Amino acid sequence: MALKALDIYKLLPKKNCKECGEPTCLTFAMKLAAGKADIEKCPYLDEEARRILGASTKPPIQLVKIGVGERSFAVGDEFVQFRHEKTFNHQPGILVAVSDLWPDDRIQDVVREVRDGVLVRIGTDLRLDGIAIRCESGSAEEFSRAVAAVEAKADLPEVLMAADPVVMEAGLSVCGAFRPLIYAATHENYQGMCALARKFGCPLTIRAESLESMAELSALAAKEGAPALLIDPSAATLSDYVKKATAIRQNAVSKTVPDLGYPIFFDTTVTGMQDAALALGVDKYASVLVCDRLSIPSRNALLTLRQNIYTDPQKPIQMNPGIYRVGEPVRDSPVFLSVNFSLTYFTLQGYLEASGVPCYMLVVDTEGYSVLTAVAGGKLNETLVAESIKKTGLESEVDHRTLIIPGYAAPLSGKIEDESGWKVLVGPRDAAGVAEFLEKEWKK
Amino acid sequence: MPMKVDIISEWTGEIGEVTIGATKKEGGSRCAAIVIGGGSGFPFLGGSAPGRKPLIAFEFCDDPKLWSPIVTELEGDVVNDAGDWAARVEELHRPDLLRFYLTSTRRRGFQDFSQLRRTVEEVLERSTLPLIVEGSIDPAIDSETFLCCGEAGEGERLLLGTAEEGRYRSVAAAAMAYGHSVIAQSPIDVNLAKQLNILLRETGVPHDRIVIDPYTGALGYGFEYSYSAMERIRFAALKGDEDLAMPMISSAIDSLNIKEVREADPGQRGEMAVKWELYTAVSSVIAGASVVCVRHPETIVPLRSAIDSLWGKTGGGD
Amino acid sequence: MPAVTFLPGFRKISVEPGSTILDAAQKAQIHMNVVCGGEGKCGKCIVFLKSGRVDFDRKKFGRFFSPGEIDEGACLACQTVPLDDVQVFVPENSLIQEQKILIDARGIETEFNPAVWKYALELAPPSLEDPSPDLTRLLWGIEKSGGPRENKIYVPLEVIRRIPAVLRESGWKITGTVTLVPGGYRLIDVEKGDTSGNLYGAAVDLGTTTIVVYIRSLIDGEVVGVASNYNKQISCGEDILSRVNYARKGGLSHLQSLAAESINDALTSAANNAGIDLDDIYEVVVAGNTIMTHILMGINPAYMIEEPYVPVVKRYLTSSASRAGIAVKEDAGLFIFPAVSDYIGGDIIADVLASGMTESEEVSLLIDIGTNFEVVLGNSDWMFSCSGAAGPALEGGEVLFGMRANPGAIEEVSLDMETLVPEYRTINQIKPKGICGSGLIDLLAELLRACIIDRTGRINTSISHERVRTGRYYPEFVVAWKHDTGIEKDIVVTENDIKNLIMSKASILAACITLMNQAGIRREDISNIYFSGAFGNYINKENAIIIGLIPEVPPEKIKNIGNGAIEGANIALLNRKKRKVLDEIARTMAYIELNAEPSFMDEYTRSTFLPHTDLAQFPMVEELLESCRIRRD
């Protein structure tokens, strides 16, 4: 239960000394409640207050870094069960599995795909994250060969998957300096694995069946000095995974079982339903996902879902207002009014491109709200439209004076005409209808 | 050191149930009367029973010109006759429900309501699955369209779509007059969903005749908001908010039209469409949707396996 | 140079070519109604062209006129440039009209501790035996009469220069006036004879629209004169942003002198009524919003309206009245209230002081409603504040027949639940010309109770009743038929008006709830809701709750503090100890930036429903509406 500003304020010294950098204790309390300040900045806290406040601001799930260099990633550091409470922080790493039974070139085909494959969405490069090297040979030599084959092609984060600490050490002796994730310590081998994690300074995955044994094992591993941990709930089915992952997250964020406060590892290859397992892993708390080689469609859908789930649902992504061109518009090309909510923009832009008609988009600043909410909240109004037409110099770009507005903005059509002097055509409510609309309504 | 980890569950609310379809015995002609919703837990959260198994609805229409060519090309000529298409879907694709869009009403100046009635009747004759009917999207013809659909399906316990803030009276009136239920769609916001349900309740539509459509944006095009809207709606219901305690229907209707799918390599376009629908639908059921809708026939099989794996083959948990 | 003749008064004025009719009106001291600051957006400054040629785009601004008005030659004064000599008729509605100005400062209960004292002295003349200088002689005299220590009193050079003559011409019988300044005292005047009975101070509420002054005796605290008038800056734009814009375009010193002039006019009429001389006013205390006080002090307010919205000063200011152009005693003290932020200014701090909410552990909510609103939540221990834009709907803007609380405004409405016939009362009981904020709130509540609108404010057009009809753009409800009005038009409220009102009320309710959530306060924990300002005074409390303008509390917990700004200024004038309290309030009040608060938009959406999406937060309203629905069915 997050503390409210006033609850925190009651614990503060109320000296208004400004030493924390805030003008008053109350503003400091507000910042603390919002997670925007560090409790350590207050020099006058008593022990009791420090205990209560320290506990409420420390992340309940450990932050773990995997790999080194440009493609390395961090997971954990999560605070909430549901993303609408306060967004999810670190998206899961997705690692594609290779086997040490495979020849080098087969391994390296996968490595190249992960290294070079990219999906560009909303101006962001989306990529898979790394390689999971699985020991299926049982041989330390084969395992280290496979690791070396991966290392030869790319500096990608890795998971080394081997049950025998001797085999694991062989792999680590190749890449241990690059902070690979060790998989996995069980109740049987944890001492050996922990020793390796300690020696190479690598994060370690523990694996157990029940919540109780996971908590027990994580406590043991921590005692053995493993620097950073992940938990594999060893789920064999989708429902088993979702149930266990949900329970781990719940006990971690509520701090009922601090020993479960580690990021979750999910090997989706064992479920036999890789797409569904990956989707569920992204939705439900996985921090490291291992999968077999993905088709382009699966990869794109997966990366897009991950981008979606790890977007803060409370913050609309905004575009810069201005004139945008679709294709190569000319002086009599149609002009579409749109808002600076990126989703609205990209959707409309996509359909306009598809229509094959070059045109202009006049994107106005509605503070990132969609057409519907911007009309309702008064953020999209005739003054804004008229001013944007003037400010952007639209009138010198085109010879006509006709503006196509979104269907949901229809109530503003008269006012926009009055205010801007432009003729207004009401377009479709759904961007999917723009091609048809252009065909029927836009005649020169 | 043996220890016991408790699973936390702290809510008391229950999700209401809505029945779709009526069998012969009940005065209709459907093969089953399907109950959706119910249950008192978040899927898999807090160790509670996952509730009823979500169902898959297949979407089709009466005017294929307004449908994705990815589907119409795959389905072939059958798409030109709604009755034929309905029969083929039921026999070949085997969804749990049919969702029939009267896209013909979207043509400019549409007035042919008698044809509309015949089309709905034909679909009902050629199929036996419980039916969802999507009427007009133009307030000017709402009243006649919904009365016409409602009357054609009298006794069949249809699910009629779609009520929105500002145009809910026509569809509500048709549903109440002919014994159907209503889809209440609001733009990706838990509060707006609740407001519409209150408005419907105050118009006389009881809670057990409302299905919430929180509007599902396609993956990459709004799904980031839809996913949390669904979670919030379900969560509010479990905390006891009766005005949100209705089952949800999720349909990412844009999936086949978005850039990533449309511009995919022709050899991969079909698979891209399927994956896009699959990832969205799987995420929707885990966020609490009771009915997920798809348009690509090939999405149904992997989606059903995933749902079976989650809820068990027979439903109600494994 | 073209000349403009204003009818009906036939005032004629010449203006530079290119000037607008509005410029001419300002020059002629005709105060036109310009809500938007002369940008052609509000359509309030209508004039009718009777002769001559003008440049005016009638097509562009046509939406502001009825067809009849266009036939009569309607123009907007601010957008019309005379091309040669013209005659225009100015209708009464286009002039700033007398509004209800709230001048009432309730009987104030505070300790009497003024900050100015007079000492009537009879000094011994100097002699060879007692050669101490004039000034020392005077200051010792003050100290001996119980005044401050001689070495604590600062004396301005201007006063020193006057001392020798005054002392000698009065035969060493004089009165010295001392005021408190930071770090000590200041001798502000020396007069001949005993004038100790003539000691007055002024409290000023410097509002964006109106100015209220109180003159009080600083010997016993009694009120001797009260006056109010308009802020003359209105001719530079009605709302606060247009003033800042005016200042930005080089108009700061003009605005400053208009502010001083407005205060002086009010002081003059109050002093005349009291039969006192302005020169007998020795201290002036001013409470105003942050922008108004910046302008009065000649400080550029422009940076406050640009990100990151920083005022130049927040602490209280002391200076001499004459430096701000206030025509009281030369060198009289001037105390300017402190501020918390750009929007939480001295007026709100004065409200807080006047409400007494800082004196109790009970939690109170204070709301000041205008185009912008301010909300303060707190008690003696802590205080949160926020502000936002409510939009002009509650002041009659953006509403087709909305108007300010001027004569002819419908200020109270009730509907007969059977016949749907409205019963209304107008200000000054004349034929209605429009509807003001309190009337709109009543109307919204009544339409909801009568089930004419649903909870999102949509009119149920399936109701067949002559008053429920579809207008040019939107469905509407007829409040008064043409033949009953003073404007020869049906007065209606449209669905669009209702939407605008709901958005306004939603901002205010969402702000209240956001503060409450931030503090972890439930509505049951609130002991008082204070309305300050003119708006709160005329509002129907039950209806404000029915529409969800404020959280539901038992109506007896809602109190009007009237003009809290003038009351606070009076308290600070009478009791200098309270100035420390003001400072304390200003320094410790936390300000929450609603735009940076992610939950605010969520709360706003929840509040765009009548009364609120979470009906359980309005149990009494729900009971009431339920019974209304049953009756309708």
Side-chain angles (χ1 to χ4, degrees), chain A residues 180-200:
Chain A
L181 175 61
I182 301 173
Y183 181 91
T186 60
H187 271 93
E188 289 72 44
N189 68 4
Y190 77 91
Q191 278 158 325
M193 289 296 189
C194 288
L196 291 174
R198 217 170 45 231
K199 175 173 169 194
F200 289 94

PDB file of all heavy atoms in Angstrom, chain A residues 180-200:
ATOM      1  N   PRO A 180      26.995 -12.792 -18.697  1.00  0.00           N
ATOM      2  CA  PRO A 180      25.881 -13.615 -19.170  1.00  0.00           C
ATOM      3  C   PRO A 180      25.024 -14.044 -17.980  1.00  0.00           C
ATOM      4  O   PRO A 180      25.465 -13.955 -16.835  1.00  0.00           O
ATOM      5  CB  PRO A 180      26.587 -14.826 -19.787  1.00  0.00           C
ATOM      6  CG  PRO A 180      27.846 -14.951 -18.986  1.00  0.00           C
ATOM      7  CD  PRO A 180      28.262 -13.537 -18.641  1.00  0.00           C
ATOM      8  N   LEU A 181      23.816 -14.486 -18.278  1.00  0.00           N
ATOM      9  CA  LEU A 181      22.927 -14.987 -17.235  1.00  0.00           C
ATOM     10  C   LEU A 181      23.164 -16.489 -17.102  1.00  0.00           C
ATOM     11  O   LEU A 181      23.141 -17.214 -18.107  1.00  0.00           O
ATOM     12  CB  LEU A 181      21.473 -14.697 -17.618  1.00  0.00           C
ATOM     13  CG  LEU A 181      20.383 -15.257 -16.713  1.00  0.00           C
ATOM     14  CD1 LEU A 181      20.499 -14.687 -15.294  1.00  0.00           C
ATOM     15  CD2 LEU A 181      19.001 -14.933 -17.288  1.00  0.00           C
ATOM     16  N   ILE A 182      23.379 -16.941 -15.884  1.00  0.00           N
ATOM     17  CA  ILE A 182      23.602 -18.368 -15.640  1.00  0.00           C
ATOM     18  C   ILE A 182      22.267 -19.049 -15.396  1.00  0.00           C
ATOM     19  O   ILE A 182      21.449 -18.563 -14.618  1.00  0.00           O
ATOM     20  CB  ILE A 182      24.519 -18.578 -14.422  1.00  0.00           C
ATOM     21  CG1 ILE A 182      25.872 -17.893 -14.659  1.00  0.00           C
ATOM     22  CG2 ILE A 182      24.703 -20.070 -14.125  1.00  0.00           C
ATOM     23  CD1 ILE A 182      26.780 -17.906 -13.430  1.00  0.00           C
ATOM     24  N   TYR A 183      22.070 -20.200 -16.081  1.00  0.00           N
ATOM     25  CA  TYR A 183      20.826 -20.929 -15.925  1.00  0.00           C
ATOM     26  C   TYR A 183      21.149 -22.396 -15.778  1.00  0.00           C
ATOM     27  O   TYR A 183      21.762 -22.964 -16.668  1.00  0.00           O
ATOM     28  CB  TYR A 183      19.936 -20.699 -17.144  1.00  0.00           C
ATOM     29  CG  TYR A 183      18.603 -21.408 -17.058  1.00  0.00           C
ATOM     30  CD1 TYR A 183      17.500 -20.778 -16.505  1.00  0.00           C
ATOM     31  CD2 TYR A 183      18.470 -22.724 -17.503  1.00  0.00           C
ATOM     32  CE1 TYR A 183      16.283 -21.433 -16.410  1.00  0.00           C
ATOM     33  CE2 TYR A 183      17.262 -23.376 -17.399  1.00  0.00           C
ATOM     34  CZ  TYR A 183      16.173 -22.732 -16.856  1.00  0.00           C
ATOM     35  OH  TYR A 183      14.980 -23.372 -16.751  1.00  0.00           O
ATOM     36  N   ALA A 184      20.787 -23.109 -14.769  1.00  0.00           N
ATOM     37  CA  ALA A 184      20.043 -22.596 -13.633  1.00  0.00           C
ATOM     38  C   ALA A 184      20.504 -23.315 -12.376  1.00  0.00           C
ATOM     39  O   ALA A 184      20.970 -24.456 -12.435  1.00  0.00           O
ATOM     40  CB  ALA A 184      18.553 -22.868 -13.828  1.00  0.00           C
ATOM     41  N   ALA A 185      20.347 -22.627 -11.240  1.00  0.00           N
ATOM     42  CA  ALA A 185      20.627 -23.252  -9.955  1.00  0.00           C
ATOM     43  C   ALA A 185      19.367 -23.931  -9.441  1.00  0.00           C
ATOM     44  O   ALA A 185      18.292 -23.346  -9.467  1.00  0.00           O
ATOM     45  CB  ALA A 185      21.099 -22.196  -8.960  1.00  0.00           C
ATOM     46  N   THR A 186      19.510 -25.170  -8.998  1.00  0.00           N
ATOM     47  CA  THR A 186      18.378 -25.886  -8.397  1.00  0.00           C
ATOM     48  C   THR A 186      18.779 -26.230  -6.967  1.00  0.00           C
ATOM     49  O   THR A 186      19.904 -25.951  -6.533  1.00  0.00           O
ATOM     50  CB  THR A 186      18.090 -27.186  -9.169  1.00  0.00           C
ATOM     51  OG1 THR A 186      19.283 -27.998  -9.102  1.00  0.00           O
ATOM     52  CG2 THR A 186      17.745 -26.902 -10.605  1.00  0.00           C
ATOM     53  N   HIS A 187      17.856 -26.860  -6.256  1.00  0.00           N
ATOM     54  CA  HIS A 187      18.195 -27.276  -4.899  1.00  0.00           C
ATOM     55  C   HIS A 187      19.399 -28.227  -4.893  1.00  0.00           C
ATOM     56  O   HIS A 187      20.134 -28.293  -3.931  1.00  0.00           O
ATOM     57  CB  HIS A 187      16.997 -27.953  -4.218  1.00  0.00           C
ATOM     58  CG  HIS A 187      16.119 -26.974  -3.514  1.00  0.00           C
ATOM     59  ND1 HIS A 187      15.022 -26.388  -4.106  1.00  0.00           N
ATOM     60  CD2 HIS A 187      16.177 -26.466  -2.251  1.00  0.00           C
ATOM     61  CE1 HIS A 187      14.454 -25.572  -3.261  1.00  0.00           C
ATOM     62  NE2 HIS A 187      15.123 -25.588  -2.121  1.00  0.00           N
ATOM     63  N   GLU A 188      19.577 -28.938  -6.018  1.00  0.00           N
ATOM     64  CA  GLU A 188      20.650 -29.933  -6.077  1.00  0.00           C
ATOM     65  C   GLU A 188      22.022 -29.276  -6.320  1.00  0.00           C
ATOM     66  O   GLU A 188      23.012 -29.638  -5.706  1.00  0.00           O
ATOM     67  CB  GLU A 188      20.378 -30.961  -7.194  1.00  0.00           C
ATOM     68  CG  GLU A 188      19.228 -31.917  -6.894  1.00  0.00           C
ATOM     69  CD  GLU A 188      17.860 -31.240  -6.970  1.00  0.00           C
ATOM     70  OE1 GLU A 188      17.629 -30.471  -7.930  1.00  0.00           O
ATOM     71  OE2 GLU A 188      17.034 -31.440  -6.051  1.00  0.00           O
ATOM     72  N   ASN A 189      22.071 -28.319  -7.253  1.00  0.00           N
ATOM     73  CA  ASN A 189      23.396 -27.845  -7.675  1.00  0.00           C
ATOM     74  C   ASN A 189      23.697 -26.414  -7.254  1.00  0.00           C
ATOM     75  O   ASN A 189      24.640 -25.803  -7.736  1.00  0.00           O
ATOM     76  CB  ASN A 189      23.515 -27.957  -9.202  1.00  0.00           C
ATOM     77  CG  ASN A 189      22.592 -26.972  -9.905  1.00  0.00           C
ATOM     78  OD1 ASN A 189      21.931 -26.169  -9.257  1.00  0.00           O
ATOM     79  ND2 ASN A 189      22.533 -27.042 -11.223  1.00  0.00           N
ATOM     80  N   TYR A 190      22.863 -25.852  -6.383  1.00  0.00           N
ATOM     81  CA  TYR A 190      22.974 -24.397  -6.186  1.00  0.00           C
ATOM     82  C   TYR A 190      24.322 -23.946  -5.645  1.00  0.00           C
ATOM     83  O   TYR A 190      24.802 -22.866  -5.983  1.00  0.00           O
ATOM     84  CB  TYR A 190      21.829 -23.871  -5.313  1.00  0.00           C
ATOM     85  CG  TYR A 190      21.955 -24.133  -3.838  1.00  0.00           C
ATOM     86  CD1 TYR A 190      22.579 -23.199  -2.995  1.00  0.00           C
ATOM     87  CD2 TYR A 190      21.459 -25.299  -3.275  1.00  0.00           C
ATOM     88  CE1 TYR A 190      22.689 -23.436  -1.637  1.00  0.00           C
ATOM     89  CE2 TYR A 190      21.568 -25.538  -1.924  1.00  0.00           C
ATOM     90  CZ  TYR A 190      22.179 -24.608  -1.099  1.00  0.00           C
ATOM     91  OH  TYR A 190      22.297 -24.838   0.231  1.00  0.00           O
ATOM     92  N   GLN A 191      24.971 -24.806  -4.835  1.00  0.00           N
ATOM     93  CA  GLN A 191      26.240 -24.349  -4.271  1.00  0.00           C
ATOM     94  C   GLN A 191      27.281 -24.128  -5.360  1.00  0.00           C
ATOM     95  O   GLN A 191      27.945 -23.094  -5.411  1.00  0.00           O
ATOM     96  CB  GLN A 191      26.743 -25.319  -3.209  1.00  0.00           C
ATOM     97  CG  GLN A 191      26.056 -25.045  -1.881  1.00  0.00           C
ATOM     98  CD  GLN A 191      26.075 -26.237  -0.945  1.00  0.00           C
ATOM     99  OE1 GLN A 191      25.981 -27.401  -1.397  1.00  0.00           O
ATOM    100  NE2 GLN A 191      26.165 -25.969   0.347  1.00  0.00           N
ATOM    101  N   GLY A 192      27.344 -25.100  -6.284  1.00  0.00           N
ATOM    102  CA  GLY A 192      28.292 -24.979  -7.395  1.00  0.00           C
ATOM    103  C   GLY A 192      27.975 -23.783  -8.274  1.00  0.00           C
ATOM    104  O   GLY A 192      28.857 -22.999  -8.657  1.00  0.00           O
ATOM    105  N   MET A 193      26.691 -23.630  -8.587  1.00  0.00           N
ATOM    106  CA  MET A 193      26.290 -22.530  -9.469  1.00  0.00           C
ATOM    107  C   MET A 193      26.525 -21.171  -8.798  1.00  0.00           C
ATOM    108  O   MET A 193      26.951 -20.214  -9.438  1.00  0.00           O
ATOM    109  CB  MET A 193      24.806 -22.668  -9.852  1.00  0.00           C
ATOM    110  CG  MET A 193      24.533 -23.821 -10.816  1.00  0.00           C
ATOM    111  SD  MET A 193      25.343 -23.568 -12.438  1.00  0.00           S
ATOM    112  CE  MET A 193      24.624 -24.893 -13.396  1.00  0.00           C
ATOM    113  N   CYS A 194      26.232 -21.119  -7.503  1.00  0.00           N
ATOM    114  CA  CYS A 194      26.445 -19.858  -6.784  1.00  0.00           C
ATOM    115  C   CYS A 194      27.927 -19.486  -6.763  1.00  0.00           C
ATOM    116  O   CYS A 194      28.291 -18.310  -6.902  1.00  0.00           O
ATOM    117  CB  CYS A 194      25.923 -19.942  -5.354  1.00  0.00           C
ATOM    118  SG  CYS A 194      24.127 -19.943  -5.292  1.00  0.00           S
ATOM    119  N   ALA A 195      28.755 -20.505  -6.610  1.00  0.00           N
ATOM    120  CA  ALA A 195      30.195 -20.248  -6.599  1.00  0.00           C
ATOM    121  C   ALA A 195      30.623 -19.643  -7.937  1.00  0.00           C
ATOM    122  O   ALA A 195      31.420 -18.694  -7.993  1.00  0.00           O
ATOM    123  CB  ALA A 195      30.948 -21.538  -6.327  1.00  0.00           C
ATOM    124  N   LEU A 196      30.067 -20.166  -9.039  1.00  0.00           N
ATOM    125  CA  LEU A 196      30.387 -19.625 -10.365  1.00  0.00           C
ATOM    126  C   LEU A 196      29.881 -18.183 -10.516  1.00  0.00           C
ATOM    127  O   LEU A 196      30.562 -17.308 -11.047  1.00  0.00           O
ATOM    128  CB  LEU A 196      29.772 -20.513 -11.457  1.00  0.00           C
ATOM    129  CG  LEU A 196      30.404 -21.895 -11.605  1.00  0.00           C
ATOM    130  CD1 LEU A 196      29.611 -22.729 -12.617  1.00  0.00           C
ATOM    131  CD2 LEU A 196      31.860 -21.777 -12.043  1.00  0.00           C
ATOM    132  N   ALA A 197      28.645 -17.971 -10.058  1.00  0.00           N
ATOM    133  CA  ALA A 197      28.060 -16.630 -10.166  1.00  0.00           C
ATOM    134  C   ALA A 197      28.938 -15.623  -9.421  1.00  0.00           C
ATOM    135  O   ALA A 197      29.177 -14.512  -9.880  1.00  0.00           O
ATOM    136  CB  ALA A 197      26.641 -16.629  -9.602  1.00  0.00           C
ATOM    137  N   ARG A 198      29.408 -16.080  -8.253  1.00  0.00           N
ATOM    138  CA  ARG A 198      30.252 -15.214  -7.441  1.00  0.00           C
ATOM    139  C   ARG A 198      31.583 -14.959  -8.144  1.00  0.00           C
ATOM    140  O   ARG A 198      32.037 -13.820  -8.288  1.00  0.00           O
ATOM    141  CB  ARG A 198      30.495 -15.889  -6.094  1.00  0.00           C
ATOM    142  CG  ARG A 198      30.541 -14.950  -4.910  1.00  0.00           C
ATOM    143  CD  ARG A 198      30.544 -15.726  -3.593  1.00  0.00           C
ATOM    144  NE  ARG A 198      31.437 -16.854  -3.575  1.00  0.00           N
ATOM    145  CZ  ARG A 198      31.076 -18.094  -3.204  1.00  0.00           C
ATOM    146  NH1 ARG A 198      29.833 -18.341  -2.822  1.00  0.00           N
ATOM    147  NH2 ARG A 198      31.958 -19.076  -3.204  1.00  0.00           N
ATOM    148  N   LYS A 199      32.151 -16.037  -8.646  1.00  0.00           N
ATOM    149  CA  LYS A 199      33.469 -15.946  -9.267  1.00  0.00           C
ATOM    150  C   LYS A 199      33.459 -15.029 -10.493  1.00  0.00           C
ATOM    151  O   LYS A 199      34.338 -14.190 -10.670  1.00  0.00           O
ATOM    152  CB  LYS A 199      33.930 -17.355  -9.665  1.00  0.00           C
ATOM    153  CG  LYS A 199      35.249 -17.390 -10.440  1.00  0.00           C
ATOM    154  CD  LYS A 199      35.713 -18.826 -10.644  1.00  0.00           C
ATOM    155  CE  LYS A 199      36.880 -18.872 -11.632  1.00  0.00           C
ATOM    156  NZ  LYS A 199      37.140 -20.238 -12.095  1.00  0.00           N
ATOM    157  N   PHE A 200      32.416 -15.188 -11.338  1.00  0.00           N
ATOM    158  CA  PHE A 200      32.384 -14.412 -12.584  1.00  0.00           C
ATOM    159  C   PHE A 200      31.564 -13.125 -12.460  1.00  0.00           C
ATOM    160  O   PHE A 200      31.441 -12.356 -13.407  1.00  0.00           O
ATOM    161  CB  PHE A 200      31.831 -15.273 -13.726  1.00  0.00           C
ATOM    162  CG  PHE A 200      32.784 -16.351 -14.154  1.00  0.00           C
ATOM    163  CD1 PHE A 200      32.698 -17.638 -13.622  1.00  0.00           C
ATOM    164  CD2 PHE A 200      33.787 -16.076 -15.089  1.00  0.00           C
ATOM    165  CE1 PHE A 200      33.591 -18.629 -14.015  1.00  0.00           C
ATOM    166  CE2 PHE A 200      34.673 -17.076 -15.489  1.00  0.00           C
ATOM    167  CZ  PHE A 200      34.576 -18.357 -14.944  1.00  0.00           C
TER     168      PHE A 200
END
